[in-house]
Amino acid sequence: MSHPASLPDLLVGLHFLGGSARSWEPVAAHLATPCLALDLPGFGAAADIAGFDVAAMADHVAARIAAAAPGRFALAGHSMGAKVALALARRAEDGDPALRGLARLVLVAGSPPSPEPIPEDRRAAMLAWIDADPATRAQEARAFIRQNVGAPLAPEAEEDAAVADVLRAAPAAWRAWIESGANEDWCARVGVLRTPALILAGSEDADLGPVAQRALTVPHLAHHRIAVLDGAGHLLPLERPEAVAGLIAEHLAADDPAPSPPPEIPAAYAALIASERVNPRLRAVLTERAQPDDPAYAPTFLDPVELALLRAVVARVVPRAGFDIATRLDARLASGASDGWRFAALPPDGEAYRAGLRSLDAASREEGTPFLARDGAGQDALLKAAQAGRLTVPAMDRPGLDAERLCLWFEDLRADAVRSYLAHPIALARMGFSGIGAGGTGETDADGLAKGLPGFARASGPPEPWEPRAVIREVEDPVR
Amino acid sequence: MRLDHQRRYAEDEVVDAVVIGTGAGGAPVLARLAAAGLKVVALEAGPNFEPAAFAFDETLADEIYWTEERLSGGSTPEAFGANNSGTGVGGSTLHWGAFVPRPDRRDFALRTETGEGCDWPLTLDDLLPFYARVEDFIGVSGAPDYPWDPGRRYPLPPVPRNGPAEIMALACGRTGLRAADAPAAVVSRDFQQADGPARAACIQCGYCHQGCRTGAKTSMDVTYLPYAVRHGAEIRPESVVHGLERDRIGRITAVIYRSGGVDRRQACGAVYLCAGAVETPRLLLNLGLANGSGQVGRNYMGHVATQVWGSFPDEIRMNRGYPSALITEDMVRPEGADFAGGYLVQSLGVQPLTLANAVARSRGLWGEALHACLAGYNHLAGIGINGETLPCDENRLTLVDETDALGLAKARVSFGYGENERRLNAHATALMTDLWKAAGAADIWVLERVAHTIGTCRMGRDGDSAVVDPYGRSFEIDNLWISDGSTFPSSLAANPALTIMALGLRSAEAFLKRD
């Protein structure tokens, strides 16, 4: 484990829809790290500044951070602010000099990079009163705050201040977020972030609670931890400032994440691979396949949510793999490589994967929980139904697969997953597979034929002394 | 294979024949025509490999499989790619199993015998001399006394039995079936290939399907193709044919192919289309040629190739040795069968990914059950069949709207078992399950599988009902010949490659005598 080079010397805080810089004050009061809370365009003291889409808000924040010129800093976004924070984190990781010091992310009840799942009636209601008469506005603003907390804010002055912030917001900014900002699709643009992130979620948050975070935000974070605040709603910095501050402080002080090691090839098998019995071309490719995975692998064909879905499915199909098969499948899909055929009932491989993963998730949501928020048994139940051709897929706003095609696609996926698994030397080592050792280098004659290869001394009967044994018991952690 | 000293022909030189494809259909033709002094050029879509560089790895072996996408439909969709379709100089023989039983005499006249299927426009006797010539030339190892054909003699003694072969022998012994060392086109002794390389005896590495590094396994690039080059043929790898030029009366005058990103044109007096039962009809349908009979693409067949697997207490390590070293032909006409034709039974060993693919796809295992099955790899042994498939109207190859990189429409192959195949399959599954029980197997499971690519340009006696005559010559374009598995009118129970080679030689000799 390595410690961070130094603790962040600044926490930059971005507020929720209707909030302001002031929303972070209760948290800042409990933090040792200085906090630079900013007003986003259209809110708080920036109510008269325009530029309400995510990119414009990110520009605004980037300029303020550049002006503050922090050394190492953490970026915390609450709800709407979290989406802006994710956009900025992508800029930072892509080398934006103004954001060079970004060391930690904090996403508080964050709006995800993908379009935010706000029920249509609530969306309509929020748009209806923002331009109404002052009395209605005051009443609805208070109702808005109350709808978004797990328990009434205390002291009452806290609620009054929050209501005042809502009323201070530029109606145009309010509308812009609800009508478009929340719907902007940043899924592919945010990609997979390397910056260690803390996700905070309130157990009573209807739309952006732990389930939504697992389904839509976690896929973008190579290193993350989720903390759920029991009984809390959506306005965590106002509801639980001390707990939020404590979790943030812990996160800022935590070690940098250690790279997860690739599965360790048993010594005897590693020795076989290194020996003269294995030909150099095979040795090179086995070594290459055993290289550690990049936890922040940027998918080249799927989007990050689809990659996370694929990872989750593959983890049920080949639970003991110990390395990241999903990234290998994504790379293969991107390459356009074919195995020479596909079921005529399915679209081309890449389309089938996208449609299959999204259909699986849609069917899962139809039963109440996104696929990524299910436990292993819950995921297995769905995959068994898919395998049996009886998983009902609801209508979707993008191409999907019906039950019959989902069954075929899941068959393809299983085949692709085991293909990737068995390419890795750990899989061959576990089964005690001796075939790789039958070759060696030998010499190549004038006709291009290999001479002097050892082969097997006998085709049947007990193994030769050099042949590896199967690994009887796994001691490693069967995660991923 | 070595091509550096081969003879070269100019593209505007009218060669006697261009052979499209260098697999089991094209290579014997190329060799026979070259030996007769004809000017012949072979165009091979895939690359030229150096066998020593194959790597004993099922993923790297992708390089020898035909991986251009095909669409597989019907009630029993067949897998292509590694299952049955090759690429490279040598074609599918680079990865084939080299299992070379001769067909049964009765299979050529199934309709006369049973009223089902169809008769071939030739008999076993027409082919016997060619089978013997092929076996002697490529070096077939087999039982000294073949129980089902007492007079037959193979040029080489059998390859050693591996674990699954020993188990099958035991099981056959216990159930009263005859079994014998299988005819394998793998040299069990050092073998000097006629006008070709010195092929050392098989080292029992078990990687027949991933490319033989030593040349012990027969593939066209160590047998007929070096012979052809020695006799003046030219082989052009990475040359994908996509057009045929014709004169005013419809005869072919040149072949258009893409090589190195540019289109080239080879002038020729005749064309041998030897691209296999998918690519041959696909090219003809794309070009709209030689299909006056309406038969191009029809009667596609794959063999019923169901396997039964089981786990044994001792380590089998089925990756060792020639994979299919034992055969029984006792089921070529099973007593009391409720189906036409019959099937061959063979022992099976497969490499890990081939097994895992079957386990994940057909057995449907995943999760801990998949890991448990794979962990038992060293204890597994299999037994499988190659069974008659009757020609059928619904089973056909057509073109779809999607195109490949050259703009040619992709093929959709629709294949499904009929009642005869279902009955044969049920019979074989019960038999193999009983055999594996008799051998003491635990955890027995059945893998439904379809093998080989057959039919789509059937041979026959007239141009109304067939694409080519019994020698492979098109009824419609008299300088177009076909030599590959596409010309089979019915599947035969035997694996097809030996017959493809024999038909190729026979066709080439007819070509030499043509008017």
Side-chain angles (χ1 to χ4, degrees), chain A residues 281 289 317 320 340-342 344 387 412 414 419 422 431-433 439-440 446 448 450-451 456 459-461 467-468, chain B residues 2 52-53 56-57 62-63 69-70 72 166 198 203 213 317 320 351 356 360-361 364 366-368 371 378 402:
Chain A
R281 184 181 177 205
R289 293 171 189 160
V317 171
R320 293 180 182 272
W341 68 286
R342 72 173 205 254
Q387 182 173 18
D412 278 346
R414 295 195 303 273
R419 175 190 157 88
L422 282 163
M431 58 172 66
F433 176 65
K451 301 289 183 197
F456 285 108
S460 65
E467 291 188 57
Chain B
R2 287 194 66 170
F56 288 2
D57 182 81
D62 275 356
E63 64 192 358
E69 190 174 73
R70 298 164 178 169
S72 200
E166 288 187 342
I203 61 168
R213 292 176 66 196
R317 295 194 178 245
R320 300 179 298 176
Q351 299 292 325
R361 276 193 186 278
W366 47 280
E368 292 299 333
H371 283 293
N378 281 337
E402 295 174 46

Side-chain angles (χ1 to χ4, degrees), chain A residues 48 138 144 210 306 314 338 373:
Chain A
D48 53 356
F144 171 74
E306 289 159 350
V314 168
S338 163

Side-chain angles (χ1 to χ4, degrees), chain A residues 303-321:
Chain A
D303 72 30
V305 171
E306 289 159 350
L307 179 66
L309 285 166
L310 181 57
R311 239 183 221 133
V313 175
V314 168
R316 305 316 301 166
V317 171
V318 199
R320 293 180 182 272

